[in-house]
């Protein structure tokens, strides 16, 4: 008995030492939140979880963890999350979904269903045209509609976004909001009635906001239907990890980071954003530095870029020290990767295909950018890779394949190393394999293979705007050039017009050991594509423009 008493005293004494020494490990706790079974007055442990995600997040202190219980698409969390406390270096605050289960869903949508359909709203059905009206309503950014039966089965997955119209005259399936009268009008489709409709309204607001905090990990969550930016990090945030987070249907940007340092966004999934997928944005003070985006899959950005490193609206830049690695980026309105701000940047192992303007753009004065092992396929109305008004650029072991128009473009660019790249123009492509324009200078091309199979008599190399290869110090060493015809003139300068590689070497670099090998085809470069670590298996066959057409 005496030994037990002494052991108890020792345990109490040790606990007091930890508490009074300020040990975060001693004070850290694990909490749970469940929006269906929880209670905000409970203890928050695994047997008595809290209910409100936003309230639970506000209660965390350094070292705490919060586990978010998923309840599927019919029971999403309807909170706007604000993390107001920082962790510490050895006491990170962690907010994650349950391990080995589906991601919990956080949505910006609110249930606007009528009482007759199990909701809490009271729509007016007296309009002679069959238009439903909701008075004193908040203004939605999006309206989602489905049947009650489909909602009960699949929740948010079953809803369809309806078309907004500025005119009060509505066709079936359209909606209109009168800001003066605060009236929301919706004209149902033929089979829809107020009794069988489930209606969700997406209201303004950011779903997750972190402003000025540090040492946080956010993981295994899904954010759906944000009116504007879904996740916003600002105000000098630092040491933030977003891991395995999904964002779908963002009205502006999916993820935006503006000012701070040591931000890592990894293994995230983004689909359907209006402006951009991920933004590393400029700010006045402090600028964003030393951050990374890696292993993310981004698609379906309507207006702009999958990933962008960009100035803010006031012209403030981001800082230095960025890594963009091993991302898969497709079907974005402009660029797969847009780097128009910052310095000391590495793009490595990324894959882009089917993007609107180009795979990669480097521009607006960015400095010291390395692009390695990048695969661009069927990118862009303009070019696979564009370097514009930038300096100290390295392009090494990339694969630029079958862009719609040009493949590789340089404009007003200084000090560029282009080494070991595979540059390929398909049979149906138009434009030039490599364009050099503006006041570009100090370009060194070595060990590249540039091939055109185009049937449009395209050029392999073109100098524009009276750009002179000798005066601009463009050097070629051990490159291979190929086009379908043996004696074609595939090189162009403003002074000489179209001419052969032999004439080009004689006029500008007699000592060059570049070779012209006619008739090379895509299969001749497959081994080099593999050596450059460009994985064609990531790109659907639809974009493999080098394949023979089916008869």
């Amino acid at each position: 008995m005496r030994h037990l008493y002494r052991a108890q005293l020792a345990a109490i004494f040790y606990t007091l030492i930890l508490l009074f020494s300020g040990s975060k490990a001693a004070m850290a706790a694990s909490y749970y939140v469940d929006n269906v079974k929880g209670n905000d007055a409970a203890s928050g442990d695994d047997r008595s979880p809290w209910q409100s995600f936003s309230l639970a997040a506000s209660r965390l202190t350094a070292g705490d963890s919060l586990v978010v219980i998923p309840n599927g698409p019919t029971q999403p969390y309807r909170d706007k999350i604000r993390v107001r406390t920082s962790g510490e270096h050895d006491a990170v605050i962690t907010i994650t979904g349950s391990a080995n289960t589906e991601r919990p869903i956080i949505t910006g949508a609110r249930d606007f269903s009528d009482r007759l359909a199990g909701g809490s709203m009271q729509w007016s059905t007296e309009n002679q045209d069959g238009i439903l009206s909701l008075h004193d309503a908040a203004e939605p950014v999006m309206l989602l509609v489905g049947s009650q039966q489909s909602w009960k089965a699949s929740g948010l997955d079953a809803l369809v976004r309806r078309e907004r119209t500025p005119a009060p005259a509505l066709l079936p399936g359209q909606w209109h909001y009168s800001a003066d009268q605060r009236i929301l009008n919706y004209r149902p489709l033929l089979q829809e009635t107020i009794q069988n409709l489930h209606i969700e309204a997406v209201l303004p607001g950011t779903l997750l906001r972190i402003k000025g905090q540090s040492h946080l990990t956010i993981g295994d969550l899904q954010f759906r239907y944000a009116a504007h930016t879904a996740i916003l990090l600002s105000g000098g945030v630092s040491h933030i990890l977003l891991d395995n987070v999904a964002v779908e249907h963002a009205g502006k940007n999916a993820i935006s980071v503006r000012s701070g340092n040591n931000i890592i966004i990894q293994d995230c999934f983004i689909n359907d954003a209006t402006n951009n997928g991920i933004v590393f944005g400029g700010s006045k003070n402090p600028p964003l530095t030393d951050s990374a985006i890696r292993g993310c899959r981004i698609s379906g950005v309507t207006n702009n870029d999958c990933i962008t490193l960009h100035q803010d609206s006031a012209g403030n830049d981001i800082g230095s020290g960025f890594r963009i690695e091993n991302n898969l980026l497709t079907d974005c309105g402009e660029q797969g990767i847009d780097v128009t701000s910052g310095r000391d940047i590495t793009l490595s192992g990324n894959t882009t295909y089917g993007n609107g303007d180009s795979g990669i753009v480097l521009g607006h004065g960015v400095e010291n950018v390395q692009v390695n092992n990048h695969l661009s396929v069927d990118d862009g109305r303009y070019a696979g890779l564009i370097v514009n008004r930038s300096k100290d650029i390295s392009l090494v072991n990339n694969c630029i394949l079958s862009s719609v128009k040009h493949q590789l473009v340089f404009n007003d660019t200084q000090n560029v190393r282009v080494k070991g790249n595979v540059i390929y123009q398909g049979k149906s492509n138009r434009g030039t394999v490599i364009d050099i324009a503006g006041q570009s200078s100090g370009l060194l091309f070595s060990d590249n293979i540039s091939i055109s199979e185009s049937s449009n008599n395209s050029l392999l190399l073109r100098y524009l705007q009276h750009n002179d290869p000798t005066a601009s110090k463009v050097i070629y060493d051990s490159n291979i050039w190929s086009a379908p015809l043996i004696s074609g003139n595939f090189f162009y300068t403003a002074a000489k017009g179209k001419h052969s590689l032999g004439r080009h070497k004689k006029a500008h670099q007699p000592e060059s050991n570049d070779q012209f090998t006619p008739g090379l085809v895509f299969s001749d470069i497959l081994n080099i594509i593999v050596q450059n670590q460009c994985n064609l298996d990531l790109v659907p066959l639809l974009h493999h423009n080098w394949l023979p057409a089916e008869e």
Side-chain angles (χ1 to χ4, degrees), residues 265 268-271 276-278 293-301 304-309 324-339 347-356 358-361 374-380 384 538-540 543:
I265 302 173
C268 292
F269 171 82
I270 294 170
N271 181 56
N276 299 285
I278 300 177
I293 303 169
R294 59 193 185 208
C296 296
R297 302 173 72 93
I298 304 175
S299 63
V301 174
N304 299 317
D305 312 313
C306 293
I307 294 175
T308 182
L309 282 61
I324 313 298
E325 303 171 318
N326 303 318
N327 301 285
L328 180 60
L329 312 167
T330 177
D331 295 323
C332 293
E334 292 187 350
Q335 278 66 247
I337 304 175
D338 175 85
V339 180
L347 312 181
S348 180
N350 300 289
T351 297
T352 60
Y353 66 87
N355 294 292
S358 61
I360 295 178
V361 164
H374 180 84
L375 172 61
S376 168
V377 177
D378 193 20
D379 272 321
L538 295 174
V539 181
H543 297 277

Side-chain angles (χ1 to χ4, degrees), residues 386-406:
I386 301 171
V387 184
N388 178 46
R389 288 192 289 146
S390 305
K391 66 180 181 180
D392 302 329
I393 307 297
S394 174
L395 309 178
V396 178
N397 296 341
N398 302 290
C399 308
I400 312 301
L401 310 177
S402 200
S403 174
V404 174
K405 195 174 182 183
H406 310 302

Side-chain angles (χ1 to χ4, degrees), residues 169-217:
L170 302 177
L171 296 174
Q174 292 183 334
W175 64 279
H176 170 76
Y177 183 80
S178 171
D180 294 338
Q181 298 176 308
R182 289 180 53 85
I183 297 176
L184 173 62
N185 294 317
Y186 172 68
R187 186 168 185 174
L189 299 175
L190 182 62
Q191 72 276 17
E192 294 177 342
T193 66
I194 193 61
Q195 292 88 351
N196 70 13
L197 278 183
H198 186 92
I199 302 173
E200 296 272 335
V202 180
L203 301 180
T206 297
L207 301 186
L208 172 63
R209 177 77 181 264
I210 301 173
K211 186 176 182 180
Q213 280 71 44
S214 67
H215 297 94
L216 305 172
T217 293

Side-chain angles (χ1 to χ4, degrees), residues 158-172:
L159 301 183
V160 177
R161 190 183 305 185
R162 297 304 193 204
E163 179 187 0
R164 182 174 188 171
T165 175
L170 302 177
L171 296 174

